[in-house]
PDB file of all heavy atoms in Angstrom:
ATOM      1  N   TRP G   1     -52.530   6.356 -13.355  1.00  0.00           N
ATOM      2  CA  TRP G   1     -52.184   5.353 -14.365  1.00  0.00           C
ATOM      3  C   TRP G   1     -50.710   4.970 -14.300  1.00  0.00           C
ATOM      4  O   TRP G   1     -50.349   3.822 -14.537  1.00  0.00           O
ATOM      5  CB  TRP G   1     -52.537   5.869 -15.766  1.00  0.00           C
ATOM      6  CG  TRP G   1     -54.001   5.855 -16.018  1.00  0.00           C
ATOM      7  CD1 TRP G   1     -54.863   6.899 -15.927  1.00  0.00           C
ATOM      8  CD2 TRP G   1     -54.789   4.714 -16.367  1.00  0.00           C
ATOM      9  NE1 TRP G   1     -56.137   6.495 -16.207  1.00  0.00           N
ATOM     10  CE2 TRP G   1     -56.117   5.158 -16.491  1.00  0.00           C
ATOM     11  CE3 TRP G   1     -54.503   3.376 -16.599  1.00  0.00           C
ATOM     12  CZ2 TRP G   1     -57.158   4.296 -16.828  1.00  0.00           C
ATOM     13  CZ3 TRP G   1     -55.533   2.519 -16.938  1.00  0.00           C
ATOM     14  CH2 TRP G   1     -56.849   2.972 -17.052  1.00  0.00           C
ATOM     15  N   ARG G   2     -49.857   5.923 -13.977  1.00  0.00           N
ATOM     16  CA  ARG G   2     -48.430   5.605 -13.935  1.00  0.00           C
ATOM     17  C   ARG G   2     -48.146   4.537 -12.868  1.00  0.00           C
ATOM     18  O   ARG G   2     -47.348   3.620 -13.107  1.00  0.00           O
ATOM     19  CB  ARG G   2     -47.620   6.865 -13.654  1.00  0.00           C
ATOM     20  CG  ARG G   2     -46.121   6.599 -13.628  1.00  0.00           C
ATOM     21  CD  ARG G   2     -45.312   7.867 -13.579  1.00  0.00           C
ATOM     22  NE  ARG G   2     -43.882   7.581 -13.581  1.00  0.00           N
ATOM     23  CZ  ARG G   2     -42.939   8.493 -13.610  1.00  0.00           C
ATOM     24  NH1 ARG G   2     -43.260   9.790 -13.653  1.00  0.00           N
ATOM     25  NH2 ARG G   2     -41.654   8.140 -13.607  1.00  0.00           N
ATOM     26  N   THR G   3     -48.802   4.637 -11.738  1.00  0.00           N
ATOM     27  CA  THR G   3     -48.609   3.627 -10.688  1.00  0.00           C
ATOM     28  C   THR G   3     -49.061   2.254 -11.175  1.00  0.00           C
ATOM     29  O   THR G   3     -48.403   1.236 -10.908  1.00  0.00           O
ATOM     30  CB  THR G   3     -49.395   4.020  -9.423  1.00  0.00           C
ATOM     31  OG1 THR G   3     -48.959   5.298  -8.974  1.00  0.00           O
ATOM     32  CG2 THR G   3     -49.185   3.004  -8.316  1.00  0.00           C
ATOM     33  N   ALA G   4     -50.166   2.232 -11.901  1.00  0.00           N
ATOM     34  CA  ALA G   4     -50.672   0.960 -12.427  1.00  0.00           C
ATOM     35  C   ALA G   4     -49.670   0.349 -13.404  1.00  0.00           C
ATOM     36  O   ALA G   4     -49.367  -0.850 -13.337  1.00  0.00           O
ATOM     37  CB  ALA G   4     -52.019   1.183 -13.109  1.00  0.00           C
ATOM     38  N   PHE G   5     -49.146   1.164 -14.321  1.00  0.00           N
ATOM     39  CA  PHE G   5     -48.181   0.647 -15.284  1.00  0.00           C
ATOM     40  C   PHE G   5     -46.890   0.195 -14.608  1.00  0.00           C
ATOM     41  O   PHE G   5     -46.297  -0.822 -14.988  1.00  0.00           O
ATOM     42  CB  PHE G   5     -47.877   1.711 -16.342  1.00  0.00           C
ATOM     43  CG  PHE G   5     -49.040   2.020 -17.253  1.00  0.00           C
ATOM     44  CD1 PHE G   5     -49.332   3.338 -17.596  1.00  0.00           C
ATOM     45  CD2 PHE G   5     -49.840   1.014 -17.761  1.00  0.00           C
ATOM     46  CE1 PHE G   5     -50.394   3.639 -18.432  1.00  0.00           C
ATOM     47  CE2 PHE G   5     -50.917   1.295 -18.599  1.00  0.00           C
ATOM     48  CZ  PHE G   5     -51.186   2.619 -18.930  1.00  0.00           C
ATOM     49  N   GLU G   6     -46.446   0.926 -13.612  1.00  0.00           N
ATOM     50  CA  GLU G   6     -45.217   0.550 -12.908  1.00  0.00           C
ATOM     51  C   GLU G   6     -45.395  -0.749 -12.129  1.00  0.00           C
ATOM     52  O   GLU G   6     -44.440  -1.514 -11.951  1.00  0.00           O
ATOM     53  CB  GLU G   6     -44.774   1.684 -11.980  1.00  0.00           C
ATOM     54  CG  GLU G   6     -44.221   2.887 -12.738  1.00  0.00           C
ATOM     55  CD  GLU G   6     -43.802   4.016 -11.817  1.00  0.00           C
ATOM     56  OE1 GLU G   6     -44.157   3.959 -10.614  1.00  0.00           O
ATOM     57  OE2 GLU G   6     -43.143   4.955 -12.297  1.00  0.00           O
ATOM     58  N   THR G   7     -46.624  -1.009 -11.685  1.00  0.00           N
ATOM     59  CA  THR G   7     -46.896  -2.284 -11.023  1.00  0.00           C
ATOM     60  C   THR G   7     -46.706  -3.445 -11.994  1.00  0.00           C
ATOM     61  O   THR G   7     -46.132  -4.484 -11.647  1.00  0.00           O
ATOM     62  CB  THR G   7     -48.325  -2.295 -10.452  1.00  0.00           C
ATOM     63  OG1 THR G   7     -48.484  -1.213  -9.535  1.00  0.00           O
ATOM     64  CG2 THR G   7     -48.615  -3.609  -9.742  1.00  0.00           C
ATOM     65  N   LEU G   8     -47.164  -3.271 -13.227  1.00  0.00           N
ATOM     66  CA  LEU G   8     -46.969  -4.306 -14.236  1.00  0.00           C
ATOM     67  C   LEU G   8     -45.483  -4.485 -14.550  1.00  0.00           C
ATOM     68  O   LEU G   8     -45.013  -5.610 -14.757  1.00  0.00           O
ATOM     69  CB  LEU G   8     -47.740  -3.945 -15.512  1.00  0.00           C
ATOM     70  CG  LEU G   8     -49.267  -4.049 -15.418  1.00  0.00           C
ATOM     71  CD1 LEU G   8     -49.933  -3.451 -16.642  1.00  0.00           C
ATOM     72  CD2 LEU G   8     -49.701  -5.507 -15.232  1.00  0.00           C
ATOM     73  N   ALA G   9     -44.740  -3.376 -14.580  1.00  0.00           N
ATOM     74  CA  ALA G   9     -43.299  -3.480 -14.808  1.00  0.00           C
ATOM     75  C   ALA G   9     -42.630  -4.257 -13.677  1.00  0.00           C
ATOM     76  O   ALA G   9     -41.741  -5.089 -13.916  1.00  0.00           O
ATOM     77  CB  ALA G   9     -42.694  -2.084 -14.935  1.00  0.00           C
ATOM     78  N   ARG G  10     -43.066  -4.024 -12.451  1.00  0.00           N
ATOM     79  CA  ARG G  10     -42.488  -4.743 -11.307  1.00  0.00           C
ATOM     80  C   ARG G  10     -42.802  -6.232 -11.394  1.00  0.00           C
ATOM     81  O   ARG G  10     -41.934  -7.077 -11.151  1.00  0.00           O
ATOM     82  CB  ARG G  10     -43.046  -4.158  -9.998  1.00  0.00           C
ATOM     83  CG  ARG G  10     -42.588  -4.930  -8.755  1.00  0.00           C
ATOM     84  CD  ARG G  10     -43.157  -4.325  -7.495  1.00  0.00           C
ATOM     85  NE  ARG G  10     -44.607  -4.236  -7.511  1.00  0.00           N
ATOM     86  CZ  ARG G  10     -45.415  -5.267  -7.304  1.00  0.00           C
ATOM     87  NH1 ARG G  10     -44.928  -6.485  -7.092  1.00  0.00           N
ATOM     88  NH2 ARG G  10     -46.727  -5.081  -7.299  1.00  0.00           N
ATOM     89  N   ILE G  11     -44.041  -6.590 -11.765  1.00  0.00           N
ATOM     90  CA  ILE G  11     -44.419  -7.996 -11.876  1.00  0.00           C
ATOM     91  C   ILE G  11     -43.555  -8.694 -12.924  1.00  0.00           C
ATOM     92  O   ILE G  11     -43.142  -9.853 -12.759  1.00  0.00           O
ATOM     93  CB  ILE G  11     -45.913  -8.132 -12.226  1.00  0.00           C
ATOM     94  CG1 ILE G  11     -46.780  -7.580 -11.091  1.00  0.00           C
ATOM     95  CG2 ILE G  11     -46.274  -9.588 -12.507  1.00  0.00           C
ATOM     96  CD1 ILE G  11     -48.261  -7.490 -11.439  1.00  0.00           C
ATOM     97  N   SER G  12     -43.242  -7.980 -14.003  1.00  0.00           N
ATOM     98  CA  SER G  12     -42.492  -8.608 -15.094  1.00  0.00           C
ATOM     99  C   SER G  12     -41.004  -8.756 -14.784  1.00  0.00           C
ATOM    100  O   SER G  12     -40.267  -9.323 -15.597  1.00  0.00           O
ATOM    101  CB  SER G  12     -42.665  -7.792 -16.386  1.00  0.00           C
ATOM    102  OG  SER G  12     -41.970  -6.557 -16.290  1.00  0.00           O
ATOM    103  N   GLU G  13     -40.552  -8.256 -13.648  1.00  0.00           N
ATOM    104  CA  GLU G  13     -39.153  -8.454 -13.286  1.00  0.00           C
ATOM    105  C   GLU G  13     -38.846  -9.927 -13.016  1.00  0.00           C
ATOM    106  O   GLU G  13     -37.722 -10.386 -13.224  1.00  0.00           O
ATOM    107  CB  GLU G  13     -38.811  -7.629 -12.037  1.00  0.00           C
ATOM    108  CG  GLU G  13     -38.795  -6.116 -12.286  1.00  0.00           C
ATOM    109  CD  GLU G  13     -38.563  -5.334 -10.998  1.00  0.00           C
ATOM    110  OE1 GLU G  13     -38.475  -5.984  -9.920  1.00  0.00           O
ATOM    111  OE2 GLU G  13     -38.487  -4.102 -11.062  1.00  0.00           O
ATOM    112  N   LYS G  14     -39.849 -10.677 -12.582  1.00  0.00           N
ATOM    113  CA  LYS G  14     -39.650 -12.077 -12.205  1.00  0.00           C
ATOM    114  C   LYS G  14     -39.863 -13.043 -13.364  1.00  0.00           C
ATOM    115  O   LYS G  14     -39.326 -14.144 -13.363  1.00  0.00           O
ATOM    116  CB  LYS G  14     -40.591 -12.443 -11.063  1.00  0.00           C
ATOM    117  CG  LYS G  14     -40.384 -11.605  -9.794  1.00  0.00           C
ATOM    118  CD  LYS G  14     -41.390 -11.994  -8.725  1.00  0.00           C
ATOM    119  CE  LYS G  14     -41.227 -11.144  -7.479  1.00  0.00           C
ATOM    120  NZ  LYS G  14     -42.244 -11.509  -6.445  1.00  0.00           N
ATOM    121  N   GLU G  15     -40.679 -12.657 -14.336  1.00  0.00           N
ATOM    122  CA  GLU G  15     -41.005 -13.560 -15.434  1.00  0.00           C
ATOM    123  C   GLU G  15     -41.484 -12.763 -16.640  1.00  0.00           C
ATOM    124  O   GLU G  15     -41.879 -11.605 -16.519  1.00  0.00           O
ATOM    125  CB  GLU G  15     -42.091 -14.552 -15.008  1.00  0.00           C
ATOM    126  CG  GLU G  15     -43.381 -13.875 -14.582  1.00  0.00           C
ATOM    127  CD  GLU G  15     -44.457 -14.854 -14.136  1.00  0.00           C
ATOM    128  OE1 GLU G  15     -44.505 -15.957 -14.713  1.00  0.00           O
ATOM    129  OE2 GLU G  15     -45.231 -14.511 -13.241  1.00  0.00           O
ATOM    130  N   ARG G  16     -41.459 -13.415 -17.789  1.00  0.00           N
ATOM    131  CA  ARG G  16     -41.973 -12.803 -19.009  1.00  0.00           C
ATOM    132  C   ARG G  16     -43.488 -12.782 -18.939  1.00  0.00           C
ATOM    133  O   ARG G  16     -44.134 -13.822 -18.749  1.00  0.00           O
ATOM    134  CB  ARG G  16     -41.528 -13.626 -20.222  1.00  0.00           C
ATOM    135  CG  ARG G  16     -41.982 -13.083 -21.587  1.00  0.00           C
ATOM    136  CD  ARG G  16     -41.271 -11.813 -21.941  1.00  0.00           C
ATOM    137  NE  ARG G  16     -41.263 -11.550 -23.379  1.00  0.00           N
ATOM    138  CZ  ARG G  16     -40.793 -10.441 -23.910  1.00  0.00           C
ATOM    139  NH1 ARG G  16     -40.305  -9.470 -23.129  1.00  0.00           N
ATOM    140  NH2 ARG G  16     -40.791 -10.263 -25.221  1.00  0.00           N
ATOM    141  N   ILE G  17     -44.084 -11.605 -19.072  1.00  0.00           N
ATOM    142  CA  ILE G  17     -45.547 -11.519 -19.085  1.00  0.00           C
ATOM    143  C   ILE G  17     -46.005 -10.760 -20.331  1.00  0.00           C
ATOM    144  O   ILE G  17     -45.285  -9.921 -20.873  1.00  0.00           O
ATOM    145  CB  ILE G  17     -46.113 -10.839 -17.818  1.00  0.00           C
ATOM    146  CG1 ILE G  17     -45.688  -9.371 -17.735  1.00  0.00           C
ATOM    147  CG2 ILE G  17     -45.732 -11.601 -16.568  1.00  0.00           C
ATOM    148  CD1 ILE G  17     -46.419  -8.595 -16.639  1.00  0.00           C
ATOM    149  N   VAL G  18     -47.200 -11.120 -20.774  1.00  0.00           N
ATOM    150  CA  VAL G  18     -47.847 -10.417 -21.875  1.00  0.00           C
ATOM    151  C   VAL G  18     -48.962  -9.561 -21.285  1.00  0.00           C
ATOM    152  O   VAL G  18     -49.790 -10.064 -20.515  1.00  0.00           O
ATOM    153  CB  VAL G  18     -48.426 -11.413 -22.899  1.00  0.00           C
ATOM    154  CG1 VAL G  18     -49.097 -10.672 -24.050  1.00  0.00           C
ATOM    155  CG2 VAL G  18     -47.334 -12.329 -23.416  1.00  0.00           C
ATOM    156  N   VAL G  19     -48.974  -8.286 -21.645  1.00  0.00           N
ATOM    157  CA  VAL G  19     -50.007  -7.367 -21.185  1.00  0.00           C
ATOM    158  C   VAL G  19     -50.775  -6.873 -22.398  1.00  0.00           C
ATOM    159  O   VAL G  19     -50.195  -6.245 -23.299  1.00  0.00           O
ATOM    160  CB  VAL G  19     -49.403  -6.181 -20.419  1.00  0.00           C
ATOM    161  CG1 VAL G  19     -50.481  -5.142 -20.101  1.00  0.00           C
ATOM    162  CG2 VAL G  19     -48.731  -6.661 -19.140  1.00  0.00           C
ATOM    163  N   ILE G  20     -52.064  -7.191 -22.449  1.00  0.00           N
ATOM    164  CA  ILE G  20     -52.914  -6.778 -23.567  1.00  0.00           C
ATOM    165  C   ILE G  20     -53.944  -5.772 -23.066  1.00  0.00           C
ATOM    166  O   ILE G  20     -54.701  -6.065 -22.127  1.00  0.00           O
ATOM    167  CB  ILE G  20     -53.639  -7.971 -24.209  1.00  0.00           C
ATOM    168  CG1 ILE G  20     -52.624  -9.005 -24.698  1.00  0.00           C
ATOM    169  CG2 ILE G  20     -54.524  -7.519 -25.356  1.00  0.00           C
ATOM    170  CD1 ILE G  20     -52.636 -10.285 -23.914  1.00  0.00           C
ATOM    171  N   ILE G  21     -53.958  -4.608 -23.682  1.00  0.00           N
ATOM    172  CA  ILE G  21     -55.001  -3.610 -23.423  1.00  0.00           C
ATOM    173  C   ILE G  21     -55.840  -3.519 -24.691  1.00  0.00           C
ATOM    174  O   ILE G  21     -55.428  -2.924 -25.696  1.00  0.00           O
ATOM    175  CB  ILE G  21     -54.408  -2.239 -23.055  1.00  0.00           C
ATOM    176  CG1 ILE G  21     -53.496  -2.370 -21.837  1.00  0.00           C
ATOM    177  CG2 ILE G  21     -55.518  -1.236 -22.784  1.00  0.00           C
ATOM    178  CD1 ILE G  21     -52.789  -1.071 -21.445  1.00  0.00           C
ATOM    179  N   ASP G  22     -56.996  -4.145 -24.661  1.00  0.00           N
ATOM    180  CA  ASP G  22     -57.868  -4.207 -25.831  1.00  0.00           C
ATOM    181  C   ASP G  22     -58.866  -3.052 -25.797  1.00  0.00           C
ATOM    182  O   ASP G  22     -59.182  -2.514 -24.742  1.00  0.00           O
ATOM    183  CB  ASP G  22     -58.600  -5.554 -25.847  1.00  0.00           C
ATOM    184  CG  ASP G  22     -59.097  -5.919 -27.232  1.00  0.00           C
ATOM    185  OD1 ASP G  22     -58.796  -5.175 -28.192  1.00  0.00           O
ATOM    186  OD2 ASP G  22     -59.781  -6.950 -27.367  1.00  0.00           O
ATOM    187  N   GLU G  23     -59.374  -2.699 -26.986  1.00  0.00           N
ATOM    188  CA  GLU G  23     -60.288  -1.550 -27.144  1.00  0.00           C
ATOM    189  C   GLU G  23     -59.669  -0.290 -26.544  1.00  0.00           C
ATOM    190  O   GLU G  23     -60.316   0.481 -25.816  1.00  0.00           O
ATOM    191  CB  GLU G  23     -61.653  -1.849 -26.507  1.00  0.00           C
ATOM    192  CG  GLU G  23     -62.386  -3.023 -27.114  1.00  0.00           C
ATOM    193  CD  GLU G  23     -62.837  -2.772 -28.555  1.00  0.00           C
ATOM    194  OE1 GLU G  23     -62.642  -1.651 -29.065  1.00  0.00           O
ATOM    195  OE2 GLU G  23     -63.356  -3.722 -29.169  1.00  0.00           O
ATOM    196  N   PHE G  24     -58.410  -0.064 -26.878  1.00  0.00           N
ATOM    197  CA  PHE G  24     -57.659   1.060 -26.313  1.00  0.00           C
ATOM    198  C   PHE G  24     -58.324   2.392 -26.623  1.00  0.00           C
ATOM    199  O   PHE G  24     -58.188   3.355 -25.860  1.00  0.00           O
ATOM    200  CB  PHE G  24     -56.232   1.027 -26.874  1.00  0.00           C
ATOM    201  CG  PHE G  24     -55.310   2.040 -26.268  1.00  0.00           C
ATOM    202  CD1 PHE G  24     -54.844   1.891 -24.967  1.00  0.00           C
ATOM    203  CD2 PHE G  24     -54.887   3.140 -27.004  1.00  0.00           C
ATOM    204  CE1 PHE G  24     -53.990   2.825 -24.398  1.00  0.00           C
ATOM    205  CE2 PHE G  24     -54.024   4.074 -26.453  1.00  0.00           C
ATOM    206  CZ  PHE G  24     -53.568   3.927 -25.144  1.00  0.00           C
ATOM    207  N   THR G  25     -59.078   2.470 -27.716  1.00  0.00           N
ATOM    208  CA  THR G  25     -59.696   3.747 -28.069  1.00  0.00           C
ATOM    209  C   THR G  25     -60.817   4.139 -27.105  1.00  0.00           C
ATOM    210  O   THR G  25     -61.118   5.317 -26.958  1.00  0.00           O
ATOM    211  CB  THR G  25     -60.221   3.700 -29.520  1.00  0.00           C
ATOM    212  OG1 THR G  25     -60.963   2.490 -29.727  1.00  0.00           O
ATOM    213  CG2 THR G  25     -59.073   3.740 -30.499  1.00  0.00           C
ATOM    214  N   TYR G  26     -61.451   3.166 -26.440  1.00  0.00           N
ATOM    215  CA  TYR G  26     -62.403   3.528 -25.382  1.00  0.00           C
ATOM    216  C   TYR G  26     -61.669   4.241 -24.242  1.00  0.00           C
ATOM    217  O   TYR G  26     -62.189   5.191 -23.650  1.00  0.00           O
ATOM    218  CB  TYR G  26     -63.093   2.276 -24.833  1.00  0.00           C
ATOM    219  CG  TYR G  26     -64.166   1.705 -25.724  1.00  0.00           C
ATOM    220  CD1 TYR G  26     -64.388   0.332 -25.775  1.00  0.00           C
ATOM    221  CD2 TYR G  26     -64.971   2.528 -26.513  1.00  0.00           C
ATOM    222  CE1 TYR G  26     -65.376  -0.208 -26.586  1.00  0.00           C
ATOM    223  CE2 TYR G  26     -65.950   1.995 -27.329  1.00  0.00           C
ATOM    224  CZ  TYR G  26     -66.155   0.630 -27.368  1.00  0.00           C
ATOM    225  OH  TYR G  26     -67.129   0.104 -28.173  1.00  0.00           O
ATOM    226  N   LEU G  27     -60.478   3.775 -23.950  1.00  0.00           N
ATOM    227  CA  LEU G  27     -59.674   4.402 -22.911  1.00  0.00           C
ATOM    228  C   LEU G  27     -59.236   5.794 -23.345  1.00  0.00           C
ATOM    229  O   LEU G  27     -59.249   6.745 -22.548  1.00  0.00           O
ATOM    230  CB  LEU G  27     -58.461   3.517 -22.606  1.00  0.00           C
ATOM    231  CG  LEU G  27     -57.574   3.885 -21.418  1.00  0.00           C
ATOM    232  CD1 LEU G  27     -58.373   4.091 -20.153  1.00  0.00           C
ATOM    233  CD2 LEU G  27     -56.512   2.807 -21.209  1.00  0.00           C
ATOM    234  N   LEU G  28     -58.863   5.940 -24.619  1.00  0.00           N
ATOM    235  CA  LEU G  28     -58.490   7.250 -25.142  1.00  0.00           C
ATOM    236  C   LEU G  28     -59.643   8.240 -25.053  1.00  0.00           C
ATOM    237  O   LEU G  28     -59.447   9.414 -24.732  1.00  0.00           O
ATOM    238  CB  LEU G  28     -58.059   7.116 -26.605  1.00  0.00           C
ATOM    239  CG  LEU G  28     -56.599   6.750 -26.888  1.00  0.00           C
ATOM    240  CD1 LEU G  28     -56.430   6.427 -28.368  1.00  0.00           C
ATOM    241  CD2 LEU G  28     -55.678   7.887 -26.480  1.00  0.00           C
ATOM    242  N   ALA G  29     -60.848   7.770 -25.351  1.00  0.00           N
ATOM    243  CA  ALA G  29     -62.008   8.658 -25.319  1.00  0.00           C
ATOM    244  C   ALA G  29     -62.286   9.157 -23.904  1.00  0.00           C
ATOM    245  O   ALA G  29     -62.666  10.313 -23.697  1.00  0.00           O
ATOM    246  CB  ALA G  29     -63.236   7.935 -25.875  1.00  0.00           C
ATOM    247  N   ALA G  30     -62.087   8.283 -22.906  1.00  0.00           N
ATOM    248  CA  ALA G  30     -62.351   8.663 -21.518  1.00  0.00           C
ATOM    249  C   ALA G  30     -61.187   9.422 -20.905  1.00  0.00           C
ATOM    250  O   ALA G  30     -61.386  10.289 -20.048  1.00  0.00           O
ATOM    251  CB  ALA G  30     -62.657   7.408 -20.692  1.00  0.00           C
TER     252      ALA G  30
END
């Protein structure tokens, strides 16, 4: 997961991006 999040951080270096993780509790359960 850390690699995935860092990829989003790298993408946002060039422009403002919005990242939405919906139904986060399904992710918490898994």
